[in-house]
Amino acid sequence: MKKITILCVVSFIILTLAGCEDSLTSHELPEQPAVLKTVDVAGTGTGGLEYNGRAYLVYGSVGMKGLRKKDIKECVGYVYREDYPDDTELHIYTLANDKNVDFLVEYYTVGVMEQPMFLRAIDTVGKDIEVYDFIDFYSPWSQGFWDMGIDTSGGELVSEVDSHSGLDDEGIYLSEIKFPDDSALTQIKNNEYWTELPFSDNIKRFFNENGDEIIQKLPEITHGYYTFYDRDSDADPYDDKDLYDGDGFYFDIMIYDSDTNTLLCVVDK
């Protein structure tokens, strides 16, 4: 009985992957393909892609439901990589029924057992858009990034520092994003995940006790808001009550200074 079950599971996985591959490799590059280049996405500590003036960040992979031919609209181009300038096989596709092109699909057509990856437009942060059931969400910057309610593409990355090092890659990532007006503040006030300063007792303790040079140099903010997301929480990740219950810290804190229209993004681990 166990052998039959294992065979069924393996067969299902093979069929799912085959379906994904068929749905993507059936689209050749257009005559004039778009050449997408990587960009730094402010406030995320990772890179994304730029397409038609919009920045996209990796959002997830194909879920158990699988990706079908009818889910894909067309191949629009490929990703240019400096390390492999002649390789045009990292194709980019759009999704059917995605009128605003809020998602892109990235797929390496000549790889072995390659999985399609979904990217989501940064300017959809805080917006109610359709999220497809064939996407298995696991954004590299956690669910908290999408819930924070601020479209960071409207700001300018002023500074970025990272102290992560060592075998455990411990440290702090900090970025500072400056906005030209208070439009971000309006978004924050309409978002349930933001809390007006001052910080909670646990977050105050973290900032007071953490010896990382980056934390010690954080500016004092009197007026503003903050949002917290615990990536190691088994309960409510937006609640910091269990911050000191684990073996380490795995969280994101965003602080908005309403006096200067500046967003500070703090990532621990």
Side-chain angles (χ1 to χ4, degrees):
M1 184 67 181
K2 288 184 178 179
K3 289 184 178 180
I4 295 176
T5 302
I6 293 173
L7 285 174
C8 289
V9 172
V10 171
S11 299
F12 173 78
I13 293 174
I14 292 174
L15 289 172
T16 300
L17 294 178
C20 292
E21 183 177 355
D22 181 61
S23 65
L24 296 168
T25 56
S26 60
H27 294 284
E28 300 296 333
L29 285 173
E31 292 185 6
Q32 295 182 327
V35 181
L36 287 76
K37 295 185 177 181
T38 57
V39 294
D40 290 330
V41 180
T44 66
T46 187
L49 292 177
E50 185 175 9
Y51 177 64
N52 284 346
R54 301 172 75 188
Y56 291 78
L57 186 69
V58 172
Y59 183 75
S61 60
V62 178
M64 293 298 290
K65 184 176 180 179
L67 190 64
R68 302 154 298 183
K69 277 188 176 181
K70 67 178 184 178
D71 298 323
I72 299 296
K73 180 179 180 181
E74 61 183 346
C75 176
V76 296
Y78 65 92
V79 179
Y80 173 80
R81 295 170 292 168
E82 292 185 358
D83 295 340
Y84 308 96
D86 298 324
D87 188 349
T88 62
E89 297 300 332
L90 188 56
H91 289 188
I92 297 295
Y93 305 81
T94 53
L95 292 175
N97 303 319
D98 185 10
K99 296 180 181 179
N100 296 321
V101 194
D102 292 327
F103 291 92
L104 295 175
V105 186
E106 179 184 274
Y107 181 70
Y108 192 52
T109 61
V110 295
V112 178
M113 297 296 287
E114 292 287 338
Q115 284 290 294
M117 301 297 296
F118 295 94
L119 299 96
R120 177 172 166 176
I122 296 300
D123 59 16
T124 64
V125 169
K127 297 180 180 178
D128 184 17
I129 67 169
E130 180 177 0
V131 179
Y132 301 90
D133 58 5
F134 50 75
I135 299 178
D136 185 11
F137 170 89
Y138 71 87
S139 172
W141 222 65
S142 78
Q143 178 70 44
F145 172 79
W146 301 106
D147 286 343
M148 73 176 183
I150 298 183
D151 173 10
T152 58
S153 63
E156 177 186 357
L157 183 63
V158 177
S159 65
E160 190 175 31
V161 288
D162 195 337
S163 64
H164 286 88
S165 62
L167 294 176
D168 294 329
D169 198 28
E170 293 185 350
I172 297 290
Y173 166 83
L174 170 68
S175 64
E176 181 180 359
I177 304 171
K178 176 74 174 178
F179 292 88
D181 52 36
D182 63 354
S183 57
L185 180 60
T186 302
Q187 298 173 53
I188 286 174
K189 288 182 176 180
N190 292 324
N191 189 284
E192 63 178 313
Y193 296 107
W194 286 83
T195 303
E196 191 169 4
L197 292 173
F199 294 120
S200 67
D201 290 340
N202 271 342
I203 295 179
K204 283 181 182 178
R205 176 184 170 186
F206 172 80
F207 284 134
N208 289 333
E209 296 180 357
N210 191 286
D212 193 292
E213 187 178 49
I214 291 177
I215 293 296
Q216 298 304 315
K217 290 184 177 181
L218 278 174
E220 183 176 350
I221 300 175
T222 305
H223 304 105
Y225 295 78
Y226 74 95
T227 182
F228 170 88
Y229 188 88
D230 189 345
R231 286 176 275 116
D232 199 35
S233 173
D234 294 326
D236 182 1
Y238 301 97
D239 192 331
D240 62 50
K241 64 181 179 64
D242 298 327
L243 183 60
Y244 283 89
D245 289 350
D247 296 329
F249 299 118
Y250 305 89
F251 64 81
D252 314 324
I253 297 177
M254 296 188 183
I255 314 158
Y256 185 83
D257 186 341
S258 56
D259 290 330
T260 62
N261 295 324
T262 302
L263 176 69
L264 299 178
C265 306
V266 181
V267 180
D268 192 308
K269 190 64 176 179

